[in-house]
Each structure stands twice: as structure tokens, then as C-alpha cells.
Amino acid sequence: MAQTVTEQVEIQPSLESSPLDYEERIQQLDFQVNETKNIFLLSLLPKPQYVLYFLGVLICLGGFIYGLNVSLISGALLFLKTDMQLDTPQESLVSSGMSLGGIGGAIVAIPFNEYFGRKYSILIACLFYTVGAILEAASHSYGQMVAGRVVLGMGVALGTMTIPIYASECFPKNKRGAIVSLYTVMIMFGILSGYIVSAIFIHVAGTWRFILGSSLVFSSFLMMGVLFIPESPRWLMRKGQISKAYIVWKGLRGMDKSEEREEFFIMEKVCQSEKQVSSGRWILLDLYRIPYCRKACIHGVLLMFFQQFSGTNSILYFLGSMYRKAGLSIHDSIYISMIGGGSLFLSSIPAIYLVDSYGRRPLLLILTPGIIVGLMFIGFAFLSHSTDSLVAVYTIGVVLFYIFWGSSLGPVPFVMNAELYPNYLRTYGMSLGILSNFLGNWITSYAFLEMTRAMTKTGTFVGFYGGITALGWFYFLFMIPETKNLSLEEIKGILDRPWKDIVYQNLHQGIGMRLHHMISCLGKPSTSQQSSHHVSM
């Protein structure tokens, strides 16, 4: 049964249509549509590159808002604990409330994207952003604050799921990787900006209300911009709205170049094929019943697991609180937190080049030990009896952690989740990855304070997070295949092999060979294209 399903879904459209066929089809579609006057943005910006610039700005703004909301709680929590008299469980739930809402947002992402489309899913995410920020800033009780955090988290997960998909379906293939990579960098810039915003409002009365409410400004701009963008042409095509898909494609990509015409009609045939294959059955179950999709699902979930259980969000959410417990004042805790946010932002930029130049698996194998070293510095810092030395060692650990994390466990899980699944399952696979991400995020952030009590801070960072990350390194060594520069068919060929063959191939390649390749290629220009990768925190 599984083999039959596999054969059905991988029917490839014929690419042998002649230019004459394309011209005849274009004439038919031109006859059916009334140009672009029914889509305001495409009429206002007649040149496709201007429309793409506008979409690029909104996509980057979406990434910035996500990162901003991740780190704002670190500064706000320093004041919230006193003003609302939060105990430890309440503090944990407030800090992790966004992650809890993200689980719900990841669950509804598939039906929202399927039935409302990409544009309106992003618009709904903006509504969640806005309502959540208002609830947070206007909260007068612990319950209201948690509600605001959960609503905000639903928007964050829905936006994180939808925006990269929208980008990948609208931008040309030679720009697709760059725009999604820029989206990732803007998430990290948003995280840094969250610490800066906390420092800006540190001396303002009602500090935490301004800190948490600041994201409202940016989400309002994003919401207004989304009102003018067109729907994804691929989603329109899948829904049988061929004329609208053609209008949008002309506005986004144009029909002047032969490759744009060819890609449009290939998309039309692929969407028709996928619709026929998925008719009358739940394609979500293919993640289990088709062997290579099952392996892709295992890898996708475990990569997210090791990303989240490296302790990254425990560090981000509680960075200010940890400095406060180390003995610094509230003001100094907020100011010094910017060092960690800056390290994360700067370390994420090289990933745009490294992921395509050196590969996914080599980055995981070579940089993950640096993450473990950073966790050891963080954990052992709390054994110091001097505030100055504790803060110094802890800061060194945070900087080391993010220098290595920003180009390995940060982007690679999202890159591989986007590559491992076949086209018709990519939305479902990415949604499962986002769900795993936010579930791990919530577990680690909600349990963090109790973990530090039960296992001590040193045991939590070194023993728990460091131990899991070390186990992850062995998983990357033995099980993870390299997907750099591989087509979908080649990735399928690797995942179709038995586990023992994958282990043998990984060991045969050897980490030494990869390390030698990285050193020898350092400084040489890369000819590969940018990769399409998504990040969530």
C-alpha cells in the first residue's frame, strides 16, 4: 500500500511542452482575465521587482516582530515579578505563555493555510499579535497577563509557519533562499532589539507595560501592509483559481522570460497532479505510512527537539533574571543582557553563507561541541562566590553558546525540515516541525526555574542541557544525512535506505574529511545558491 501511494504522489508533470504551447495558453488566460485592476498593489506597482521589494520588507518585518516578542519578556519580567507579586510557578507560566500559545498556533496553522490562504493567515496572525500585545500591556492581574501571552504565542506560531511558505511561493528560485535567510536574520535582530527596547523604557513609569506593548507598533504596520498584498499564486492554483493565479504571477514575476512562463505552467501541472493524488484520502497519514516520509518526520522532530533542549530559550527568557540573581541591579541586568542578544544576532549572519557552502551536517558536528562548552561556562559560573567573576564567566558562556548556536542548531533544523519532505507534504511537515519547536520551547521554559531548584543551576546547564546536546552530537554523527545540493529525488534515495546503510555512509564520510573541507574552503567564494531556511525560536 505504501509503495502504491509513493508511486502516485511522485508523478512528475511533463516538462516537454513547447514554447508554442505556452504562448497559446498565455493567450487563453489573457482572454479570461482583466489584467490587474482588481489587485490594488499590482496596479500601484506595475514592475514586478517593486512588488517583490514591498513583500520583502513585510516578510522581514514579520521576522523582526517574532524575535522582538521572544526577548521582550526578559526585561519586563524583572518588573512584573514585583508589581504582580508572582511566585515561581506563576513566573514560569508568564515567561513560557507565548510558547504555550505557540502550540495552539502550530495546530491551527494547517487548516488556516488550507482554507483561508497565506495572505489571510498572516492577517489573522497580525490580529493575534495586536490583541496579545494589548492584553499584555493592559494587564492588571496574573490571569490577564497569561491570556495575553497565550494569544500572542498563537500569532507568533501562525506567522512563523506561514510567512516563510508565502515567501517561498512568491519569490523567484534565485532569490528565494536569500529572502528566507534574511527573514531568519531579522528574527535575531528582533531578539537584540527586544533587549534594547527594555533599556529604552527602563526609567519610564509603568516600565513593563511600555516594554510589552511596544510590539503593537510594528504589528500594526505589518497588518496594514498585509491588506495590500496578493494571495500566493500557488495557493490560488491549488484552489482552482487559475485566472487569479495568473494575474498574481504576472504582477510578481512577469511573463517576459521563458523560465517564468515555464515555471508557471509546471506549477499548474504539479498542482493538478497533487489535487488528483490527494483526493479522497488523508495525505497527513503519509508521514507515517510511507517509509521515507516517516524517516523525514523522525529527523524533523528530533532536530527540533535537540534545538530546543539545548537550553536556548531558557537563556533568552531568563537572561535578565539570571543576572539579577547573580547580584546585579535591575538596570545593569537589562543593559548587560544586550551582549547576549548582540552575540546571537551577529552569529546568525554567517549561517546564510555557511549552510550552503559547507553543508548542514558538518555545521552540526563541528559547532555543537562549542555549544556544550558555552553551557559548561554558564553552569560552572554559578559555583563562583564572587559576583564579578560569576557575571564575567556567565557572560562568556552566553556569548560562546550563541556564537556556535547561531550557525548550527539555530538555522539547520529549519533548513532540513524544509528539505526533507516531498512537495505535497511540506506544509504538513513544516507544521509538525513548528509544533515540535514550540512544544519543546514551552517545556524547557516553563520547567526551567523548578529545574534550577531541583538540579541546581550548574546541574541544569551542564548536566541536563549539556548532556542532551552531547547526545544530539552523536545522533548527528550517526543518523543525520547530508542534504546540501541534493534534489528531492536524491534526498528520497537516501531516506529510502535502511538505517544501517545511513549510519555506514555517515561514518564512511567521516568528520575529519568534513573538517578538512571546511578549513580548505574557508575564504573561497561559494557558487551554490542560498538555502531556504525557517527559524523559530
Side-chain angles (χ1 to χ4, degrees):
M1 177 63 182
Q3 183 62 32
T4 303
V5 173
T6 306
E7 292 173 353
Q8 285 181 325
V9 298
E10 289 177 355
I11 296 173
Q12 298 295 323
S14 172
L15 306 182
E16 298 178 356
S17 301
S18 66
L20 181 61
D21 294 334
Y22 294 150
E23 294 300 330
E24 292 177 354
R25 184 65 176 135
I26 289 173
Q27 291 177 4
Q28 293 175 0
L29 290 171
D30 280 333
F31 181 76
Q32 295 173 10
V33 302
N34 188 18
E35 292 301 324
T36 62
K37 65 181 181 181
N38 60 334
I39 300 178
F40 177 75
L41 179 64
L42 302 184
S43 301
L44 184 65
L45 303 173
K47 292 187 177 182
Q49 61 264 36
Y50 297 153
V51 182
L52 292 179
Y53 291 153
F54 182 81
L55 295 186
V57 170
L58 293 184
I59 288 167
C60 290
L61 182 58
F64 176 83
I65 293 171
Y66 173 26
L68 185 71
N69 284 303
V70 166
S71 59
L72 284 176
I73 192 62
S74 177
L77 202 57
L78 295 172
F79 302 93
L80 270 172
K81 289 167 56 178
T82 303
D83 288 1
M84 290 191 174
Q85 298 181 342
L86 303 179
D87 56 26
T88 298
Q90 290 175 334
E91 181 184 354
S92 297
L93 191 55
V94 168
S95 64
S96 64
M98 194 180 81
S99 306
L100 182 61
I103 298 173
I107 292 174
V108 302
I110 291 178
F112 277 29
N113 272 269
E114 287 297 310
Y115 295 108
F116 297 122
R118 317 306 190 209
K119 171 181 176 176
Y120 289 102
S121 292
I122 298 174
L123 191 61
I124 293 170
C126 290
L127 290 173
F128 281 131
Y129 286 147
T130 304
V131 173
I134 292 174
L135 286 174
E136 284 182 325
S139 292
H140 292 284
S141 67
Y142 161 71
Q144 290 176 332
M145 176 59 66
V146 172
R149 297 287 292 164
V150 170
V151 171
L152 180 68
M154 292 189 68
V156 166
L158 182 58
T160 305
M161 167 71 187
T162 308
I163 291 175
I165 292 178
Y166 180 80
S168 66
E169 292 179 346
C170 290
F171 279 77
K173 60 185 178 181
N174 63 332
K175 295 183 176 65
R176 195 173 298 150
I179 191 63
V180 178
S181 298
L182 187 57
Y183 172 79
T184 304
V185 172
M186 288 303 295
I187 291 176
M188 306 306 175
F189 181 62
I191 291 174
L192 171 61
S193 299
Y195 295 117
I196 296 175
V197 168
S198 297
I200 290 174
F201 290 110
I202 196 171
H203 295 295
V204 178
T207 306
W208 61 267
R209 296 186 186 277
F210 286 97
I211 292 174
L212 296 177
S214 61
S215 66
L216 179 64
V217 176
F218 302 100
S219 62
S220 299
F221 279 119
L222 180 61
M223 185 187 302
M224 289 187 292
V226 170
L227 291 173
F228 298 101
I229 67 174
E231 182 53 81
S232 157
R234 182 175 179 83
W235 185 86
L236 291 170
M237 186 71 75
R238 289 180 62 233
K239 296 301 178 180
Q241 302 179 39
I242 300 176
S243 298
K244 286 187 178 180
Y246 177 70
I247 291 173
V248 174
W249 190 273
K250 285 186 68 176
L252 293 176
R253 311 281 286 272
M255 282 290 186
D256 298 331
K257 298 180 180 179
S258 59
E259 57 264 30
E260 298 294 352
R261 295 195 295 271
E262 182 179 7
E263 186 176 347
F264 176 81
F265 293 115
I266 290 175
M267 178 181 70
E268 182 181 10
K269 294 179 181 179
V270 168
C271 288
Q272 291 172 351
S273 176
E274 290 177 350
K275 188 175 182 179
Q276 293 173 357
V277 167
S278 61
S279 178
R281 66 186 184 88
W282 287 9
I283 61 175
L284 179 61
L285 295 180
D286 287 359
L287 292 173
Y288 169 75
R289 61 189 169 202
I290 298 180
Y292 93 91
C293 293
R294 186 164 59 244
K295 281 195 181 74
C297 185
I298 292 172
H299 286 313
V301 170
L302 286 180
L303 280 165
M304 289 298 185
F305 170 84
F306 287 116
Q307 181 198 65
Q308 291 303 308
F309 279 82
S310 65
T312 176
N313 287 296
S314 296
I315 297 174
L316 279 175
Y317 292 162
F318 297 98
L319 193 56
S321 298
M322 288 294 102
Y323 280 120
R324 187 78 178 96
K325 291 180 179 180
L328 295 183
S329 67
I330 292 179
H331 295 176
D332 290 341
S333 297
I334 290 178
Y335 292 139
I336 200 170
S337 295
M338 289 189 287
I339 297 176
S343 301
L344 178 57
F345 168 60
L346 294 175
S347 67
S348 68
I349 297 175
I352 299 175
Y353 170 74
L354 293 173
V355 169
D356 274 335
S357 301
Y358 302 137
R360 290 71 163 132
R361 185 167 170 266
L363 287 178
L364 291 173
L365 291 176
I366 293 169
L367 299 182
T368 298
I371 297 174
I372 299 173
V373 172
L375 288 169
M376 293 177 67
F377 270 85
I378 293 172
F380 288 133
F382 293 99
L383 299 179
S384 174
H385 298 289
S386 167
T387 299
D388 291 341
S389 61
L390 192 160
V391 170
V393 176
Y394 182 81
T395 303
I396 291 172
V398 170
V399 171
L400 284 174
F401 179 91
Y402 282 121
I403 283 176
F404 292 101
W405 192 91
S407 290
S408 58
L409 277 178
V412 171
F414 288 98
V415 174
M416 297 194 69
N417 264 272
E419 293 175 330
L420 291 170
Y421 299 99
N423 286 323
Y424 81 106
L425 278 177
R426 189 158 295 153
T427 299
Y428 297 89
M430 281 298 298
S431 181
L432 183 61
I434 296 297
L435 176 61
S436 304
N437 182 279
F438 277 95
L439 182 60
N441 187 327
W442 178 71
I443 292 173
T444 54
S445 55
Y446 179 72
F448 175 70
L449 293 177
E450 288 298 332
M451 286 167 57
T452 58
R453 285 187 176 186
M455 296 188 290
T456 73
K457 297 180 181 67
T458 302
T460 300
F461 284 106
V462 179
F464 186 76
Y465 290 137
I468 290 179
T469 305
L471 289 175
W473 186 87
F474 285 101
Y475 171 72
F476 306 148
L477 176 64
F478 292 112
M479 300 297 185
I480 287 292
E482 177 56 64
T483 58
K484 169 192 168 186
N485 293 334
L486 297 183
S487 67
L488 179 62
E489 291 74 24
E490 291 170 327
I491 295 174
K492 175 187 177 298
I494 294 176
L495 296 180
D496 267 337
R497 300 175 184 175
W499 286 106
K500 63 179 182 180
D501 289 352
I502 296 176
V503 172
Y504 175 80
Q505 179 179 352
N506 286 342
L507 293 179
H508 180 69
Q509 290 176 343
I511 185 174
M513 183 185 303
R514 295 293 186 181
L515 180 59
H516 175 74
H517 173 70
M518 286 187 66
I519 295 174
S520 63
C521 291
L522 190 62
K524 293 182 180 180
S526 171
T527 57
S528 61
Q529 294 178 342
Q530 299 285 351
S531 71
S532 302
H533 66 275
H534 322 295
V535 171
S536 175
M537 219 13 101

